[in-house]
């Protein structure tokens, strides 16, 4: 699949084909991650994260893919693996030849922000089922509030909207308490 | 709602861009000035991103699970066939019930339409219905006589019971974009008693074997109605017959997103530059205007072109711009490329070329790629033979590009970026040219560019032509750069002294919505220039969005129409060139006399709308180009009712004047209308006991106020009209007299002929002639110099100086962009 096709499909919201295409690289990447001494589960998680980062990048209309999509994907995986390895206080092997030509700085990876997003993603599993559905339908599937109100059997669009705002509020509250907890663990006794 | 929820709602609306541009700006300031709101904004933005990620992650996981399982797992359904059928039954039942719900909804919508169609308005003269033949499975692209563009998706027509139909269908389109048509068709512009100002009305219905069929509400048409003065307040309304008149209901918003146009067909070079080049011909071997010549002369004005030339040197005359374009297969009648999608018979046409190196030696075995229609991926790759020759035999109608590559015939796009930059010239069409004779392309020159060898001037107030070359690059194909709306803005930038600063603003903010860039640009400008960009910002246009099921057809339409435009434009320029200044002047003056004669104008307007017995006055103009070139109102639509682009006419009835109108007929049988030309407003007046009452808006051109009265008596139309100034006339009587349909239409055209569409077209033609005359005058001394120049270099200096002056805005004070 050519870069142009991958980009076009992702921007049109038709992600399945590109994901399948990129997924073909997973066995090879998994081997590389395992060689770094990380687990199978981590390899899978890293690969998923790399796809998310890749798709988010491509969705931005001003993003220009400077290398082949697969090279880029290898680069992200190498970067994320390196990161994980560093966390575990090891050093990275030099076997990521498929990522040659990929510059880590291209990623503009914001550690703090990624950390926060990870935490929020986790928090979104803690809100009620109704809230999870609203978030999924509205933000990810981009359905209108009218459709959502009908689907989730709200008496009106307005009450669905109010519910959505309450869900956001709940998520904010949860994130604040989790941040508090985080702060506490960081403080010396 | 609680205040905390109100804040969340406010931030949500801001993030999702639910506010209009001015409100958005106020919201931004409010957020920035409050630390609490800023923090909330950051968190909510992250929550949205996290929610999207969560969805994306589960999508990836589901794909990874299916794609990554073993053969056994993937084929478990077949292995456990029996079990599968059993387990899937409840699901199927659910699926079917889900499906039947949708089908029921569609059925209900169709029944609703059928009921509405039973009541129809009765026009004063018969509708001018335009018919289009279509195949239901294929859908189609239709352009009305007045330029309305309608795209019907494939497999999107249903019968009255909601079942998909196939086979031949006929579309019936009625356009009423001109004011006189609205009146003649009895199409009034009011909604629940409030007056509307119209941007045009249409009705589209489909029939199969005489029975009406309906557009699937799930696959609506894409409609664009052209406009000369885009009004961002306009909405789409659906017509409902109330009594004898239409009432407009269910206003929906006009789409504000931008549609992609193939970058190659956008005109980014300053308007009129091609006319200037044409007037300086012949130059070197060029006797006729070509895109390559205009482009290369334009780019060579760049003060950076030495740098550019150097970089060219490195790639040794290879670059990615070597395609040449020729329309294949011409329609014998119109001379336009045919828009039929049937492939031509193999071998009927061919293109032959030869590739040689700069010494003239043939290059053997090089890959040549022929691409027909760059987006539909019809392409063929062959190698040059022992004489460096290549021949392509099979064509599809449309634009053709030829690339060459020294690399292997790899599918990877990157290799084809290195293609020979040669100019192929399609020879002039032989007089006895028929479709059966081969069309031969010849290789002519190895020159990279028709570059001027004089050293460039530094400074100058204009956008560096190299920037224009850069933004025409493929990497901008998915940004707002590749839209007709940006093309409009760029043409305005070319006229401003601050053009390059403004262009930079747009380039630095490619991910922002277009209106925001417009706003930032306007902040850098003053006076008229500022007004123009403020007006752009008010349009509130957002970013490039996919047109979904209509994307391919829409891009193909734009492509085709723009090729037609280019051909016509070149013809127009060349025609102008062959005429002397005197001839141009007398032509312009003859237009002036027409514009001064209202009766003549009215007759021409009637003729151009096909409402006249004599066709002699018909002014030809290609209205099908309107949507492809200019602003338009864009929306999705499936209903077979009338559709109207309208906005509320403010302050109607707020002026102190009321005029009482009486007629010489029974008030119960007469229809009296109050019409305002400027806003395209047609109001049906309610009868009081024996008179009618006309109210007026506070502002606006009151001289274009008319009262009309119509009635049908024994199949005979009776009519009278009166134009008056509402401040002077308190009461008037209309005397209805029998009138023929033609005369009636002519009368409508004479109500305000200077505002008619024909007058606007003639005025445009007039200013075009004036521009050509100016060019002629300004070029006279240069042409003389060119003739007397002793050698090639001094000729080039003359040419360069002239072209530099053309694009340089430093010495020009006027910003003559039409507001």
């Amino acid at each position: 699949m050519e870069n142009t096709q991958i980009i076009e499909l992702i921007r049109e919201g038709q992600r399945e084909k590109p994901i399948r295409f990129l997924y073909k690289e997973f066995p090879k990447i998994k081997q590389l991650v395992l060689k770094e001494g990380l687990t199978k589960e981590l390899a899978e998680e890293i690969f998923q994260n790399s796809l998310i980062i890749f798709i988010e990048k491509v969705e931005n209309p001003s993003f220009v893919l400077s290398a082949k999509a697969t090279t880029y994907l290898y680069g992200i995986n190498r970067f994320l693996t390196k990161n994980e390895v560093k966390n575990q206080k090891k050093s990275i092997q030099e076997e990521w030849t498929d990522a040659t030509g990929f510059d880590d700085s291209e990623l503009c990876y914001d550690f703090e922000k990624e950390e926060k997003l990870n935490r929020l993603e986790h928090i979104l599993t803690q809100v009620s089922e109704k809230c999870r559905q609203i978030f999924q339908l509205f933000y990810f599937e981009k359905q209108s509030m009218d459709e959502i109100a009908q689907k989730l059997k709200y008496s009106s669009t307005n009450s669905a909207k109010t519910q959505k705002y309450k869900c956001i509020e709940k998520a904010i509250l949860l994130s604040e308490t989790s941040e508090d907890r985080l702060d506490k663990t960081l403080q010396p006794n | 709602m609680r205040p905390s929820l109100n804040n969340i709602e406010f931030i949500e609306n801001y993030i999702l861009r639910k506010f209009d541009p001015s409100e958005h700006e106020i919201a931004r300031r409010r957020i920035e000035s409050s630390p609490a709101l800023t923090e909330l904004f950051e968190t909510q933005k992250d929550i949205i991103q996290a929610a999207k990620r969560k969805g994306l992650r589960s999508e990836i996981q589901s794909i990874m699970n299916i794609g990554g399982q073993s053969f056994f797992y993937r084929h478990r359904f077949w292995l456990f066939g029996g079990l599968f059928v059993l387990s899937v039954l409840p699901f199927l039942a659910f699926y079917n019930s889900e499906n039947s719900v949708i089908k029921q909804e569609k059925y209900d919508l169709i029944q609703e339409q059928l009921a509405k169609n039973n009541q129809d308005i009765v026009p004063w003269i018969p509708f001018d219905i335009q018919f289009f033949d279509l195949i239901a499975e294929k859908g189609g692209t239709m352009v009305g006589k007045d330029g309305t563009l309608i795209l019907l998706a494939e497999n999107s027509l249903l019968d009255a019971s909601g079942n998909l139909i196939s086979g031949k269908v006929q579309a019936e389109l009625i356009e009423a974009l001109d004011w006189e048509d609205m009146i003649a068709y009895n199409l009034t512009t009011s909604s629940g008693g409030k007056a509307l100002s119209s941007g045009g009305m249409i009705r589209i219905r489909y029939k199969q074997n005489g029975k009406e069929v309906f557009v699937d509400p799930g696959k609506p048409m894409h409609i664009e109605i052209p406009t000369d003065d885009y009004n961002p307040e306009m909405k789409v309304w659906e017509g409902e017959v109330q009594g004898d008149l239409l009432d407009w209901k269910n206003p929906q918003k006009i789409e504000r997103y931008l549609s992609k146009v193939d970058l190659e067909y956008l005109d980014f070079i300053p308007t009129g530059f091609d006319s200037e080049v044409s007037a300086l011909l012949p130059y070197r071997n060029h006797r006729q205007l070509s895109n390559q010549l205009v482009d290369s002369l334009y780019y060579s004005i760049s003060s950076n072109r030495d740098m550019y030339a150097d970089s060219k040197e490195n790639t040794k005359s290879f670059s990615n711009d070597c395609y040449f374009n020729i329309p294949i297969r011409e329609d014998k009648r119109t001379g336009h490329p045919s828009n039929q999608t049937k492939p031509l018979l193999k071998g009927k046409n061919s293109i032959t070329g030869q590739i040689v190196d700069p010494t003239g030696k043939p290059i053997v075995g090089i890959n040549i790629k022929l691409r027909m229609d760059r987006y539909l991926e019809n392409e063929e790759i062959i190698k040059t033979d022992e004489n460096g020759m290549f021949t392509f035999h099979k064509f599809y109608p449309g634009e053709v590009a030829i690339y060459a590559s020294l690399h292997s015939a790899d599918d990877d796009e990157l290799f084809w970026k290195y293609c020979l930059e040669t100019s192929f010239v399609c020879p002039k069409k032989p007089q006895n040219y028929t479709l059966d004779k081969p069309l031969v392309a010849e290789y002519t020159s190895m020159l990279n560019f028709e570059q001027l060898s004089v050293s460039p001037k530094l400074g100058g107030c204009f956008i560096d032509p190299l920037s224009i070359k850069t933004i025409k690059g493929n990497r901008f194909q998915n940004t707002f750069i590749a839209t007709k709306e940006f093309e409009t803005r760029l043409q305005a930038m070319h006229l401003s002294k601050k053009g390059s600063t403004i262009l930079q603003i747009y380039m630095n903010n490619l991910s922002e919505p277009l209106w925001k860039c417009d706003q930032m640009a306007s902040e850098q400008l003053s006076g008229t220039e500022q007004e123009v960009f403020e007006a752009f910002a008010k349009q509130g246009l957002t970013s490039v969005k996919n047109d979904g099921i209509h994307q391919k057809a829409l891009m193909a339409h734009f492509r085709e129409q723009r090729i037609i435009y280019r051909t016509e434009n070149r013809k127009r320029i060349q025609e102008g060139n062959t005429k002397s200044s005197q001839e141009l002047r007398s032509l312009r003056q003859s237009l002036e006399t027409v514009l001064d004669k209202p009766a003549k104008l009215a007759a021409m307007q009637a003729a151009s709308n096909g409402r006249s017995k004599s066709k002699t006055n018909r002014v030809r103009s290609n209205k099908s180009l309107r949507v492809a070139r200019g602003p338009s109102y864009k929306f999705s639509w499936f209903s077979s009712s009338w559709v109207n682009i309208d906005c509320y006419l403010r302050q109607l009835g707020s002026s102190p004047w009321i005029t009482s109108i009486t007629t010489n007929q029974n008030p119960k049988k007469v229809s009296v209308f109050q019409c305002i030309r400027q806003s395209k407003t047609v109001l049906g007046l309610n009868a009081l006991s024996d008179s009618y009452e006309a109210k007026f808006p506070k502002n606006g051109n009151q001289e274009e106020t008319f009262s009309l009265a119509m009635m049908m008596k024994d199949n005979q139309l009776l009519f009278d009209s009166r134009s008056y100034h509402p401040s002077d006339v308190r009461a008037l009587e209309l005397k209805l007299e029998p009138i023929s349909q033609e005369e009636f239409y002519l009368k409508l055209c004479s109500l305000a002929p200077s505002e008619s569409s024909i007058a606007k077209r003639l005025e445009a033609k007039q200013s075009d002639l004036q521009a050509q005359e100016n060019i002629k005058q300004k070029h006279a001394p240069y042409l003389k110099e060119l003739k007397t120049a002793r050698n090639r270099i001094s000729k080039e200096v003359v040419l360069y100086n002239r072209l530099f002056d053309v694009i340089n805005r430093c010495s020009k004070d006027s910003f003559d962009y039409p507001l």
Side-chain angles (χ1 to χ4, degrees):
Chain A
M1 221 153 85
E2 289 178 26
N3 275 3
T4 44
Q5 208 186 346
I6 294 175
I7 292 176
E8 205 162 296
L9 285 170
I10 289 178
R11 289 189 180 159
E12 285 171 13
Q14 297 172 21
R15 288 171 294 261
E16 194 184 334
K17 252 190 172 169
I19 292 177
R20 275 182 199 285
F21 172 75
L22 296 171
Y23 182 66
K24 287 189 196 141
E25 304 296 321
F26 179 57
K28 227 167 133 191
I29 290 177
K30 190 164 92 179
Q31 287 310 314
L32 290 167
V33 178
L34 291 178
K35 270 193 186 162
E36 304 289 353
L38 303 179
T39 62
K40 221 167 65 187
E41 287 72 19
L42 263 175
E44 204 162 296
E45 198 188 317
I46 285 172
F47 188 74
Q48 272 179 27
N49 285 341
S50 76
L51 279 178
I52 290 176
I53 292 175
F54 180 80
I55 291 170
E56 280 183 353
K57 289 259 171 209
V58 170
E59 275 173 344
N60 178 352
S62 59
F63 173 72
V64 182
L65 194 50
S66 54
K68 261 183 114 153
T70 46
T71 308
Y72 203 84
L73 190 75
Y74 270 93
I76 307 174
N77 274 285
R78 181 184 63 186
F79 179 83
L80 295 177
T81 308
K82 206 157 72 179
N83 221 359
E84 190 55 41
V85 169
K86 222 191 280 167
N87 281 347
Q88 301 191 2
K89 298 195 176 66
K90 295 177 192 162
S91 68
I92 186 109
Q93 308 272 335
E94 283 307 322
E95 293 190 23
W96 290 81
T97 45
D98 282 316
T100 322
F102 177 84
D103 190 354
D104 288 350
S105 63
E106 268 183 69
L107 262 184
C108 306
Y109 193 86
D110 184 348
F111 288 94
E112 228 172 89
K113 176 149 189 171
E114 290 295 330
E115 192 63 56
K116 193 174 174 195
L117 283 171
N118 265 340
R119 216 172 50 241
L120 281 171
E121 231 186 292
H122 179 67
I123 279 165
L124 291 182
T125 59
Q126 297 172 2
V127 294
S128 70
E129 172 64 15
K130 267 262 155 89
C131 290
R132 285 205 294 266
Q133 280 176 327
I134 292 181
F135 286 157
Q136 164 84 8
L137 293 174
F138 186 75
Y139 294 120
F140 181 65
E141 295 183 27
K142 299 197 161 44
Q143 299 197 13
S144 73
M145 284 314 286
D146 293 347
E147 288 169 300
I148 294 172
Q150 259 183 10
K151 202 169 268 179
L152 303 183
K153 304 208 166 60
Y154 283 100
S155 56
S156 71
T157 308
N158 266 340
S159 63
K161 272 187 188 163
T162 311
Q163 181 59 44
K164 183 179 74 178
Y165 301 137
K166 281 184 184 161
C167 292
I168 297 174
E169 188 179 45
K170 176 83 185 160
I172 294 171
L173 277 173
L174 281 170
S175 85
E176 276 166 6
T177 48
S178 88
E179 242 160 316
D180 281 346
R181 241 180 282 143
L182 209 67
D183 287 345
K184 269 172 208 151
T185 54
L186 286 175
Q187 274 162 12
N189 295 326
Chain B
M1 257 190 317
R2 279 181 277 130
S4 62
L5 289 187
N6 281 338
N7 278 345
I8 288 173
E9 179 180 31
F10 168 72
I11 298 279
E12 169 98 344
N13 287 340
Y14 175 76
I15 293 174
L16 300 177
R17 299 195 169 280
K18 289 277 169 67
F19 296 121
D20 69 37
S22 59
E23 286 172 350
H24 188 87
E25 192 45 32
I26 296 167
R28 184 179 66 82
R29 286 197 208 120
R30 198 180 135 199
I31 294 167
E32 281 176 358
S33 62
S34 149
L37 281 179
T38 309
E39 204 196 328
L40 191 61
F41 165 69
E42 290 298 340
T43 314
Q44 269 182 248
K45 214 172 64 181
D46 289 342
I47 287 178
I48 292 175
Q49 196 179 353
K52 278 185 191 162
R53 278 192 174 190
K54 200 165 161 282
L56 193 53
R57 191 181 297 279
S58 55
E59 188 181 10
I60 291 172
Q61 275 167 354
S62 73
I63 292 172
M64 276 171 75
N65 282 338
I66 295 164
Q69 300 300 339
S70 66
F71 173 84
F72 175 78
Y73 186 79
R74 268 184 274 138
H75 297 271
R76 63 196 185 285
F77 292 139
W78 302 114
L79 295 172
F80 295 109
L83 204 65
F84 167 64
V85 169
L86 282 178
S87 62
V88 91
L89 276 175
F91 168 73
L92 276 180
F94 169 74
Y95 179 77
N96 269 339
S97 70
E98 181 90 325
N99 236 6
S100 55
V101 170
I102 295 170
K103 211 174 158 193
Q104 183 63 41
E105 273 174 23
K106 285 181 182 172
Y107 178 79
D108 291 347
L109 280 167
I110 290 171
Q111 293 308 313
E112 207 177 289
Q113 284 185 46
L114 266 173
K116 275 187 199 166
N117 293 355
N118 280 337
Q119 283 186 305
D120 216 343
I121 45 158
V122 183
W124 298 107
I125 59 175
F127 291 129
D128 178 14
I129 303 180
Q130 305 168 46
F131 297 96
F132 300 87
D133 290 322
L134 301 161
I135 306 285
E137 295 93 311
K138 289 187 183 161
T141 303
M142 295 162 266
V143 182
K145 283 182 193 162
D146 286 339
T148 304
L149 170 68
I150 298 167
L151 302 186
L152 177 76
E154 50 188 40
N155 287 319
S156 66
L157 289 175
L158 309 175
D159 65 15
S161 327
N163 300 316
L164 192 67
I165 62 149
S166 60
K168 284 184 186 167
V169 280
Q170 198 168 44
E172 299 183 0
L173 171 69
I174 306 172
E175 285 175 298
L177 307 195
D178 278 335
W179 187 61
E180 20 327 313
D181 284 334
M182 294 178 194
I183 303 173
Y185 294 164
N186 204 1
L187 300 169
T188 45
T189 61
S190 59
S191 169
K194 284 187 188 158
L196 300 171
S197 160
S198 179
M201 307 176 194
I202 63 158
R203 194 188 78 183
I204 176 109
R205 285 181 183 172
Y206 297 89
K207 277 188 183 155
Q208 186 171 50
N209 304 324
K211 267 191 189 157
E212 186 165 5
V213 290
F214 301 87
V215 178
D216 182 344
K219 287 183 179 177
M221 296 171 277
H222 174 100
I223 301 185
E224 293 193 43
I225 293 184
T227 172
D228 292 327
D229 36 0
Y230 186 92
N231 179 350
E233 285 178 29
M234 289 284 182
K235 289 197 158 82
V236 194
W237 305 67
E238 184 177 3
E240 208 175 290
V241 181
Q242 301 264 326
D244 304 331
L245 297 177
L246 275 177
D247 195 29
W248 299 98
K249 303 215 156 150
N250 309 328
Q252 294 166 32
K253 67 174 181 22
I254 298 278
E255 296 288 357
R256 298 286 171 84
Y257 70 87
L258 310 171
S259 298
K260 258 196 291 189
V261 181
D262 207 333
L263 257 174
E264 201 180 318
Y265 303 108
L266 288 167
D267 293 321
F268 282 0
I269 291 181
T271 311
F273 188 81
D274 44 5
S275 310
E276 301 275 356
V277 170
S278 173
L280 291 165
L281 292 180
Y283 166 70
R284 288 196 193 167
N285 297 327
H286 301 275
R287 306 202 161 269
Q288 293 230 331
L289 202 59
S290 72
N291 284 347
Q292 279 99 335
L293 179 67
V294 174
D295 285 0
S296 53
L297 286 176
Y298 175 66
Y299 296 139
S300 67
I301 303 171
S302 169
S303 52
N304 291 320
R305 77 179 142 92
D306 284 348
M307 213 172 72
Y308 183 59
D310 283 347
S311 69
K312 274 269 121 85
E313 201 73 43
N314 294 334
T315 56
K316 293 228 170 64
S317 78
F318 289 96
S319 102
N320 57 350
D321 298 314
C322 82
Y323 42 80
F324 75 108
N325 306 312
I326 51 167
I328 296 298
R329 177 167 176 175
E330 294 187 330
D331 188 311
K332 275 185 195 157
R333 283 166 299 125
T334 60
H336 299 321
S338 159
N339 58 3
Q340 290 177 29
T341 46
K342 252 192 287 172
L344 286 185
L345 286 178
K346 200 175 174 180
K348 282 267 170 110
N349 275 5
S350 66
I351 285 185
T352 304
Q354 187 188 27
I355 303 293
V356 292
D357 70 10
T359 64
K361 213 177 101 199
I363 304 179
V364 181
I366 193 172
N367 293 299
I368 305 292
K369 177 158 79 173
L370 176 85
R371 248 188 179 190
M372 285 150 288
D373 199 321
R374 296 205 305 145
Y375 279 79
L376 296 177
E377 306 284 320
N378 291 324
E379 57 182 45
E380 197 185 334
I381 300 170
I382 53 170
K383 282 187 192 301
T384 52
D385 64 12
E386 65 273 25
N387 299 316
M389 303 286 288
F390 64 88
T391 305
F392 290 104
H393 290 290
K394 197 177 158 191
F395 296 107
Y396 296 87
E399 189 115 328
V400 170
I402 291 188
Y403 298 77
S405 167
L406 286 173
H407 291 269
S408 67
D410 194 299
D411 199 31
D412 196 325
E413 201 55 37
L414 288 173
F415 289 106
W416 288 104
K417 280 196 173 168
Y418 299 98
C419 64
L420 277 170
E421 188 166 67
T422 54
S423 82
F424 290 89
V425 173
C426 180
K428 260 189 261 165
K429 194 171 75 179
Q431 295 219 319
N432 54 354
Y433 171 75
T434 64
L435 285 178
D436 297 343
K437 292 220 169 149
L439 201 62
V440 182
E442 289 168 351
Y443 159 80
T444 54
S445 121
M446 271 305 288
L447 272 179
N448 277 351
F449 264 105
E450 258 331 325
Q451 268 222 18
L452 299 168
S453 41
V454 283
S455 26
K457 286 186 190 177
L458 291 172
C461 318
F462 54 82
I463 299 174
D464 189 322
L466 268 193
S467 314
I468 299 298
K469 188 154 177 69
T470 312
I471 62 173
K472 276 221 138 181
N474 269 341
R475 51 186 283 225
F476 296 105
Q477 183 62 61
N478 285 316
T479 64
F480 60 58
I481 303 282
T483 61
K484 61 174 183 178
E485 289 80 5
F486 180 76
E487 178 187 57
T488 315
R489 282 148 180 82
L490 187 62
Q491 287 305 345
M493 290 178 224
H494 277 313
L495 296 173
S496 161
K497 282 181 188 155
K498 285 186 167 176
S500 22
T501 320
I502 303 301
L503 178 61
Q504 209 51 53
I505 291 176
Y506 285 83
M507 300 306 295
N508 290 345
N509 295 290
L510 284 177
S511 54
E512 295 288 343
L514 191 60
W515 67 260
K516 205 162 177 186
C517 297
D518 296 335
Q519 202 172 48
M520 286 187 264
S522 76
E523 282 160 13
Q524 295 289 322
L525 298 165
S526 58
T528 330
E529 302 187 6
Q530 186 170 37
E531 277 172 43
V532 168
F533 281 85
E534 268 171 5
F536 286 150
K538 271 202 193 120
Q539 294 178 359
L541 297 173
T542 58
S543 349
V544 172
K545 202 185 106 184
N546 191 296
D547 285 288
I549 47 174
H550 298 293
Q551 175 84 44
K552 262 191 183 168
L554 194 62
M555 275 187 97
H557 172 75
F558 282 150
R559 196 151 54 228
E560 184 188 287
Q561 293 301 316
R562 280 172 171 266
I563 294 170
I564 294 174
Y565 169 75
R566 279 192 182 171
T567 321
E568 284 191 350
N569 192 40
R570 201 173 301 157
K571 221 158 77 191
R572 181 186 61 88
I573 292 171
Q574 274 161 1
E575 268 171 23
N577 260 344
T578 55
K579 293 192 172 76
S580 70
S581 292
Q582 276 112 334
E583 281 174 306
L584 288 172
R585 195 176 315 130
S586 66
L587 262 176
R588 182 169 55 83
Q589 282 162 349
S590 67
L591 284 181
E592 242 159 60
T593 20
V594 173
L595 280 163
D596 280 344
K597 285 183 187 151
K600 177 104 181 160
L601 261 185
M604 285 175 84
Q605 175 73 11
S608 103
N609 285 349
R611 294 287 183 188
S612 163
K613 278 180 195 156
S614 70
K615 300 280 177 199
T616 43
N617 284 332
R618 196 161 186 131
V619 173
R620 279 165 49 90
S621 84
N622 196 339
K623 292 183 181 174
S624 66
L625 289 168
R626 290 181 71 189
V627 166
R629 299 262 319 152
S632 56
Y633 297 115
K634 169 160 68 184
F635 55 95
S636 292
W637 193 255
F638 65 84
S639 160
S640 53
S641 312
W642 278 93
V643 47
N644 187 0
I645 304 299
D646 264 324
C647 64
Y648 283 115
L649 189 67
R650 284 165 202 252
Q651 299 162 319
L652 188 79
S654 56
S655 80
W657 307 308
I658 293 177
T659 302
S660 160
I661 302 162
T662 49
T663 71
N664 59 348
Q665 300 286 338
N666 179 352
K668 277 183 190 154
K669 292 189 176 159
V670 182
S671 303
V672 177
F673 300 91
Q674 183 64 26
C675 305
I676 303 164
R677 180 70 180 96
Q678 203 183 27
S679 52
K680 287 192 186 167
T681 299
V682 184
L683 302 172
L685 299 184
N686 291 327
L688 302 175
S689 59
D690 55 354
S691 70
Y692 297 82
E693 208 170 61
K695 293 178 182 174
F696 305 92
K698 201 167 185 179
N699 302 315
N701 193 347
Q702 306 288 4
E703 277 162 30
E704 289 174 353
T705 302
F706 303 95
S707 287
L708 314 178
M710 275 91 93
M711 79 177 279
M712 287 302 262
K713 202 175 188 179
D714 309 326
N715 272 339
Q716 170 65 52
L717 179 64
L718 279 76
F719 170 78
D720 191 22
S721 71
R722 183 81 69 82
S723 154
Y724 59 98
H725 199 289
S727 65
D728 304 339
V729 181
R730 290 286 62 80
L732 65 90
E733 194 193 354
L734 293 171
K735 288 183 179 139
L736 286 88
E737 303 282 352
I739 191 168
S740 77
Q741 288 181 0
E742 277 95 18
E743 274 175 87
F744 167 63
Y745 197 83
L746 192 62
K747 280 260 161 116
L748 295 182
C749 290
S750 358
L751 291 180
S754 60
E755 284 286 323
S756 64
S757 51
I758 197 94
K760 281 181 186 151
R761 246 151 53 208
L762 292 179
E763 275 161 15
K765 177 128 186 124
Q766 197 187 6
S767 60
D768 182 51
L769 285 168
Q770 177 79 61
Q772 287 189 348
E773 229 179 292
N774 289 348
I775 290 175
K776 275 255 148 79
Q777 261 173 17
K778 280 188 195 145
H779 280 239
Y782 290 97
L783 284 170
K784 214 170 173 184
E785 261 186 84
L786 271 178
K787 250 185 202 161
T788 52
R790 270 167 300 138
N791 54 33
R792 207 182 96 181
I793 298 291
S794 43
K795 273 188 181 164
E796 286 190 359
V797 171
V798 176
L799 191 68
Y800 180 80
N801 285 343
R802 175 63 203 140
L803 294 178
F804 186 90
D805 280 349
V806 166
I807 64 167
N808 185 16
R809 309 300 300 175
C810 288
S811 52
K812 300 182 180 79
D813 283 329
S814 64
F815 175 75
D816 35 14
Y817 187 81
L819 265 174

